[in-house]
Amino acid sequence: MLHMATILGLFPPAPAGKTFQLNHKSPSLFSSPKPHITPSRKSRYGIQSSKFGSFLDLKPESKPELLDFDLSWFDPADRPRCFDVIIIGTGPAGLRLAEQVSGYGIKVCCVDPSPLSMWPNNYGVWVDEFESLGFDDCLDKTWPMACVHIDDDRTKYLDRPYGRVGRKELKTKLLENCASNGVRFHKAKVLNMEHKEFESSIVCDDGIELKASLVVDASGFANTFTEYDKPRNHGYQIAHGILAEVDCHPFDLDKMVLMDWRDSHMGNEPYLRANNSKIPTFLYVMPFDSNLVFLEETSLVSRPMLSYMEVKNRMVARLRHLGIRVKNVIENEKCVIPMGGPLPKIPQSVMAIGGISGVVHPSTGYTVARTMALAPIVADAIVECLGSTRMIRGRPLHHRVWNGLWPLERRCTREFYSFGMETLLKLDLNGTRRFFDAFFDLDPYYWQGFLSSRLSLRELLFLSLSLFRNASNPSRFDIVTKCPVPLVKMMGNLALETI
């Protein structure tokens, strides 16, 4: 969900009072319409309404949707069944890479059990990230500002526009580009994979065997194709979200709520409050209109993973306290994101992109915009090898594409972001509040750069020193007492990376 200012500059202290207001601009972008969602007549008249503040008994109104799109399907009668690149998965990562690689004339086949299925999860992004990639036309709703509720008395207003990705618009655009570039699609599940010196092959559940110079795993976290040579000690972000029709809600329509750390809703829930004080959750909100809102209760990171039922119970208590009566659940989602942990084995015979490749932001869970930005870099490395007259294949190919995704500088900065995750794992609710209170008081260049994974290692070092300088004394105490072990671990990993 979600996806620190330089010591060379002086930062103004946080002003007295309840909020910190950044300079706000009003781009013309924010005239976008609300998403095309039509609640049923039944829900309009409240026949499915939940009890006040409870929604767990309501069934989602929307059904799985297939895009109406004419793909170029692989013909089993074709011989030979050989491609330059096979991409397993047609999520955002797989389609973006297919679009980029095929644009250079590389023969690509995407394999997925349901290539035309809509993606199930909601994706939120910073508008500037999608604008820079040329995907701003794939945002179905934008907000000119975001806000963070630290507690009942402190709110940060972030002058950075935020948007919800139009899943249908983005997938359609990527499919259109793939189709125009000649990408083939095969509707099947990959069961096995075999690697030879210069060629890899996959076997699908329909018995079809396909071969390619390179196989790319873009199938997500739950797979066995991408190898790790270190223990996968991930942290986990877990969330329960609903797109809901409600009687009313208290949120400003021109602001999305990035994080709401308030816990006053647990006043009559001593068990929930005690657990929340140790492993806190926050509310993430995208308000579309006065009766339509996306609500998501999120554990930023935990290890072991926080119970899903605990997350849902906290959300029920929160909505009850806010006076939100859910009339109808249009969509719901369970989101589990492994964060941090080791990178896959580099290099190896199968390439990876997306969540399984380690590109998830270790401190925030953001991944979509980052994957969209990195796919062209990986594509360039593939084309440099397979698109040349020399046809570089085998181990040299694997080495170049893996190091294209994870050059030394990017591996080192990821260690720093993982250090941020390890620090957050050690903070309770009050420590987390103090951390974000100081974090969002930093120069926007640095907190924005941190959340978007675009700071250099030098800038990250500046950020950490500035954060310590700006932090309250209790927050500094947290850093001094709880960060030494993660810090030593980070320094050790950085030393290993640079050897």
Side-chain angles (χ1 to χ4, degrees):
M1 195 311 298
L2 310 173
H3 137 108
M4 300 159 164
T6 173
I7 57 174
L8 301 178
L10 295 176
F11 302 100
K18 296 184 179 181
T19 62
F20 175 60
Q21 177 71 55
L22 300 174
N23 294 327
H24 173 53
K25 302 173 185 176
S26 300
S28 60
L29 174 65
F30 304 107
S31 58
S32 58
K34 71 178 185 180
H36 301 291
I37 300 168
T38 305
S40 67
R41 290 182 60 191
K42 182 163 57 175
S43 65
R44 276 287 183 203
Y45 292 97
I47 295 175
Q48 293 191 14
S49 295
S50 68
K51 297 176 183 178
F52 189 83
S54 178
F55 57 88
L56 299 182
D57 55 334
L58 297 181
K59 301 297 182 183
E61 181 184 77
S62 63
K63 304 298 180 185
E65 180 184 354
L66 292 178
L67 287 176
D68 182 14
F69 194 90
D70 186 18
L71 293 178
S72 178
W73 298 103
F74 166 74
D75 185 350
D78 287 349
R79 294 290 189 276
R81 297 174 176 175
C82 191
F83 295 88
D84 296 317
V85 179
I86 292 172
I87 298 174
I88 305 172
T90 55
L95 288 181
R96 173 66 164 164
L97 184 62
E99 170 209 49
Q100 292 293 305
V101 173
S102 61
Y104 291 92
I106 302 294
K107 291 173 59 181
V108 178
C109 181
C110 290
V111 182
D112 189 280
S114 186
L116 291 174
S117 289
M118 284 296 298
W119 301 321
N121 291 339
N122 282 274
Y123 301 121
V125 297
W126 299 105
V127 170
D128 57 89
E129 293 176 332
F130 256 40
E131 280 183 334
S132 66
L133 296 169
F135 287 118
D136 46 308
D137 59 339
C138 295
L139 298 174
D140 64 9
K141 175 67 178 177
T142 54
W143 294 267
M145 299 185 73
C147 66
V148 176
H149 297 292
I150 303 297
D151 56 27
D152 287 323
D153 298 319
R154 290 173 293 171
T155 297
K156 307 290 184 182
Y157 293 99
L158 312 179
D159 186 25
R160 191 182 188 190
Y162 198 83
R164 188 180 82 154
V165 175
R167 289 165 288 177
K168 184 174 183 178
E169 291 83 355
L170 179 58
K171 186 161 188 175
T172 299
K173 182 171 184 173
L174 293 175
L175 286 174
E176 286 174 347
N177 293 340
C178 287
S180 65
N181 293 339
V183 175
R184 295 294 186 88
F185 290 84
H186 184 50
K187 186 177 180 180
K189 179 180 180 180
V190 177
L191 297 180
N192 296 301
M193 189 181 301
E194 183 180 352
H195 303 289
K196 296 181 180 179
E197 185 176 6
F198 297 116
E199 184 180 71
S200 296
S201 61
I202 63 169
V203 177
C204 302
D205 60 357
D206 58 0
I208 296 294
E209 180 181 8
L210 300 173
K211 297 181 179 181
S213 297
L214 180 67
V215 174
V216 180
D217 183 5
S219 59
F221 299 108
N223 76 79
T224 57
F225 302 126
T226 301
E227 297 178 5
Y228 285 76
D229 54 7
K230 297 177 183 177
R232 297 177 68 175
N233 58 332
H234 300 293
Y236 292 91
Q237 182 171 119
I238 183 169
H240 179 71
I242 58 173
L243 178 63
E245 185 185 4
V246 300
D247 279 343
C248 61
H249 63 74
F251 309 109
D252 292 340
L253 297 182
D254 65 344
K255 301 178 185 69
M256 69 81 56
V257 180
L258 189 66
M259 294 183 282
D260 183 350
W261 294 105
R262 294 175 293 187
D263 67 343
S264 50
H265 58 287
M266 295 181 179
N268 296 322
E269 307 278 355
Y271 172 76
L272 290 179
R273 190 163 208 165
N275 285 345
N276 188 69
S277 68
K278 299 173 185 175
I279 306 176
T281 57
F282 64 90
L283 186 67
Y284 170 93
V285 183
M286 293 191 285
F288 297 104
D289 62 31
S290 57
N291 302 111
L292 183 67
V293 61
F294 179 77
L295 304 153
E296 189 169 65
E297 189 77 18
T298 305
S299 166
L300 180 56
V301 63
S302 58
R303 189 170 60 212
M305 185 168 60
L306 187 64
S307 157
Y308 185 46
M309 184 55 67
E310 173 84 5
V311 173
K312 291 197 288 187
N313 287 338
R314 293 185 191 182
M315 187 172 180
V316 168
R318 191 188 297 270
L319 298 194
R320 182 184 298 120
H321 177 78
L322 292 172
I324 297 175
R325 185 170 72 90
V326 177
K327 296 172 62 179
N328 187 51
V329 174
I330 299 170
E331 296 177 359
N332 70 359
E333 63 179 60
K334 177 183 180 180
C335 181
V336 178
I337 304 174
M339 294 162 57
L343 288 173
K345 179 182 176 182
I346 298 177
Q348 58 180 291
S349 297
V350 60
M351 183 56 194
I353 195 167
I356 194 61
S357 69
V359 301
V360 175
H361 194 302
S363 297
T364 67
Y366 279 126
T367 182
V368 172
R370 181 162 167 77
T371 297
M372 292 289 167
L374 289 174
I377 297 173
V378 176
D380 287 345
I382 294 172
V383 171
E384 182 182 320
C385 295
L386 299 182
S388 69
T389 55
R390 294 174 296 166
M391 274 294 286
I392 300 169
R393 296 187 297 170
R395 289 187 60 83
L397 166 64
H398 305 148
H399 185 274
R400 290 198 187 189
V401 293
W402 271 108
N403 283 283
L405 178 62
W406 288 112
L408 179 60
E409 168 78 8
R410 198 171 293 137
R411 295 201 300 267
C412 289
T413 56
R414 185 181 184 274
E415 287 295 336
F416 198 101
Y417 293 123
S418 295
F419 166 65
M421 181 199 79
E422 295 291 339
T423 299
L424 289 168
L425 280 168
K426 294 182 176 297
L427 299 180
D428 58 12
L429 175 60
N430 288 330
T432 301
R433 286 169 166 171
R434 289 191 291 263
F435 174 85
F436 284 110
D437 191 27
F439 177 77
F440 287 112
D441 273 354
L442 295 176
D443 185 290
Y445 175 85
Y446 284 89
W447 69 254
Q448 292 181 17
F450 184 90
L451 295 183
S452 296
S453 302
R454 63 188 182 210
L455 297 182
S456 67
L457 188 60
R458 181 172 179 268
E459 289 171 329
L460 287 168
L461 293 173
F462 285 158
L463 176 149
S464 62
L465 294 173
S466 301
L467 183 67
F468 186 81
R469 186 185 66 187
N470 285 5
S472 64
N473 287 331
S475 188
R476 289 174 181 168
F477 182 78
D478 281 338
I479 294 172
V480 170
T481 58
K482 298 177 180 179
C483 290
V485 172
L487 180 61
V488 170
K489 180 181 177 182
M490 179 187 71
M491 297 305 294
N493 289 338
L494 285 173
L496 291 173
E497 290 289 357
T498 54
I499 291 176

